[in-house]
mmCIF file of all heavy atoms in Angstrom:
data_model
loop_
_atom_site.group_PDB
_atom_site.id
_atom_site.type_symbol
_atom_site.label_atom_id
_atom_site.label_comp_id
_atom_site.label_asym_id
_atom_site.label_seq_id
_atom_site.Cartn_x
_atom_site.Cartn_y
_atom_site.Cartn_z
ATOM 1 N N LEU J 36 28.870 3.155 -43.983
ATOM 2 C CA LEU J 36 27.581 2.758 -43.419
ATOM 3 C C LEU J 36 26.523 2.614 -44.509
ATOM 4 O O LEU J 36 25.763 1.634 -44.528
ATOM 5 C CB LEU J 36 27.119 3.805 -42.406
ATOM 6 C CG LEU J 36 27.526 3.609 -40.954
ATOM 7 C CD1 LEU J 36 27.113 4.825 -40.139
ATOM 8 C CD2 LEU J 36 26.892 2.349 -40.378
ATOM 9 N N GLY J 56 28.023 0.215 -31.428
ATOM 10 C CA GLY J 56 29.289 0.925 -31.498
ATOM 11 C C GLY J 56 30.350 0.222 -30.668
ATOM 12 O O GLY J 56 30.035 -0.470 -29.697
ATOM 13 N N ILE J 103 17.878 -3.586 -35.036
ATOM 14 C CA ILE J 103 17.950 -3.381 -33.591
ATOM 15 C C ILE J 103 19.157 -2.505 -33.298
ATOM 16 O O ILE J 103 20.270 -2.801 -33.745
ATOM 17 C CB ILE J 103 18.093 -4.727 -32.859
ATOM 18 C CG1 ILE J 103 16.862 -5.605 -33.121
ATOM 19 C CG2 ILE J 103 18.283 -4.513 -31.358
ATOM 20 C CD1 ILE J 103 17.001 -7.022 -32.624
ATOM 21 N N LEU J 163 13.254 18.319 -26.819
ATOM 22 C CA LEU J 163 14.571 17.690 -26.916
ATOM 23 C C LEU J 163 15.477 18.431 -27.895
ATOM 24 O O LEU J 163 16.679 18.580 -27.655
ATOM 25 C CB LEU J 163 14.416 16.227 -27.346
ATOM 26 C CG LEU J 163 13.757 15.294 -26.326
ATOM 27 C CD1 LEU J 163 13.590 13.900 -26.927
ATOM 28 C CD2 LEU J 163 14.556 15.230 -25.034
ATOM 29 N N ASP J 265 14.299 -11.802 -19.175
ATOM 30 C CA ASP J 265 14.431 -12.431 -17.845
ATOM 31 C C ASP J 265 14.155 -11.407 -16.741
ATOM 32 O O ASP J 265 14.465 -10.237 -16.878
ATOM 33 C CB ASP J 265 15.843 -13.003 -17.683
ATOM 34 C CG ASP J 265 16.068 -14.173 -18.616
ATOM 35 O OD1 ASP J 265 15.082 -14.810 -19.015
ATOM 36 O OD2 ASP J 265 17.240 -14.429 -18.934
#
Side-chain angles (χ1 to χ4, degrees):
L36 269 174
I103 298 171
L163 292 176
D265 292 336

